Amino acid sequence: MKLGLRLLLGFFVISGIAAFFVLRVFVLEVRPSVREVMEDMLVDTANILAELARDDLSRMPAGGTLAGSRFARAVKDYASRPVDAKIWGLDKTSLDYRVYVTDARGTVVFDTGFRQQPGATGEDYSRWRDVARTLRGEYGARATRELQTDENSSVMFVAAPVLAADRRTVLGVLTVAKPMSTVTPFIARAERKILQQGVWLLGLSLVVGVLVTGWVIWSVRRLRHYAQHVQFGQREAAPQLSGELGELARAMEAMRERLDGHAHIEQTVRALTHELKSPLTAITGAAELLQDELPAADREAFSGQIQDQASRLRALVERMLELSKLEHQAAPSQRVAVDLAGCADSACRQAAARLAQAGLRVEWQQRAARSVTGDPELLQLALANLLDNAIDFAPRGSVIELSVEPAPQPPCLTLRDHGPGVEDYALPRLGERFFSTPRPAAPGQLPRKGSGLGLAIVKQVMAMHGARACFETAAPGLRVRLLWPA
């Protein structure tokens, strides 16, 4: 499983579990909380009505009832009042209190009845929890279900003592009852809102999780892209990230620079030593032979050999220094419009002496006015090295072809020689320093191998300009395309 899916799944599971438990606690707490609030209101109501019933209950004869008393008429009038109340979007169209009063022995002397049921006047309620506890001077309350299997059929009863004027003698008990079904719509609405908000919370958490996961994966992929390109030796700036990932990117860049520097020095020293060995051996051998008495022709040949090898060493050092400078230069020092054809003409004028010596000529196959943005000196350096490479491989009397693609094609300058060309297996390695194929040699001479630094300079200059050098077999010869982005 990919890292993004793991992060997203983990975040979603954690959020889901947290949301489930939070919602469960809220939902489970709604119903008990409503009951507690309703019981609190019933306590206040019962005590108020107990005070109102005191005078009538104290004047009631032994064995009598409160029927016809002022308190009884007022309570019955309450029960018959029409009501149509809008309570936060819910309609209340009935008054749901049941009120009954018992005397000091627990006998019901007044009862409003409940839900079209007649009252229980005359019945013995002394065993009911609300009446029994109140007569003992305790807090009396009970909850009774009309249907044992239906929690919503529960009715809550809260009692209050009816005290005589001395506030000590208990004249009886007044109980107020209210069915839970009357508040069920409020409970259901609260639970529904909690669940809806919970779903929104879970959805929002999922969106946040997706965004956070996406940002983390995007950052990690940028680091992976950077590491992969560094692995393949490409020059690329470290990604700009924040936090710990940004510190990791900077640490990777610093590590890459240290490793590149170490590997660069090691590879350069090894390759340069190998390249210097051949001309130094030739110079040493010729110098030893010159110490002996030789004919004038041999002395001239050996002296020329020393001069040729010294020139080779000088060119090798100069190109090595130039390439090292380019590799440590992040971008061109200037960016101006450069005409590709004009830049190629300048390189040809600089190489005119070598072209004439090798019996070569340059011909334009297609010439268009195309400009690119870059450093003219660096671009001319690249073209000069590219032309030197073609001169080394082109047979005497042949033609070096140049062309510049016209618009609307992307800017492209092509150079082709008619030499032996390059095998397909070697094409991808052209542009590596110290990699080169043997140059053509005159009859009786051994093929001489170059350093490969010229094409390495070409490739480095093109990369600095956001362009690339492509090498193709031309049959015969080698075709090099310098391509810029559209």
Side-chain angles (χ1 to χ4, degrees), residues 321-383:
L321 292 174
E322 193 67 46
L323 180 60
S324 178
K325 177 183 175 182
L326 291 174
E327 288 177 340
H328 289 83
Q329 186 174 346
S333 57
Q334 58 176 328
R335 289 185 179 273
V336 297
V338 180
D339 178 56
L340 289 179
C343 192
D345 288 337
S346 298
C348 291
R349 286 193 295 271
Q350 289 181 357
R354 287 200 64 200
L355 288 168
Q357 185 179 4
L360 302 173
R361 69 181 189 277
V362 176
E363 289 185 359
W364 282 95
Q365 302 297 314
Q366 187 176 24
R367 185 182 181 112
R370 300 300 300 275
S371 295
V372 295
T373 302
D375 188 327
E377 294 182 2
L378 291 181
L379 292 177
Q380 189 166 336
L381 173 66
L383 290 175

Side-chain angles (χ1 to χ4, degrees), residues 454-470:
L455 293 183
I457 291 175
V458 173
K459 194 171 182 180
Q460 188 67 31
V461 170
M462 296 304 292
M464 290 176 59
H465 287 78
R468 57 194 177 95
C470 298

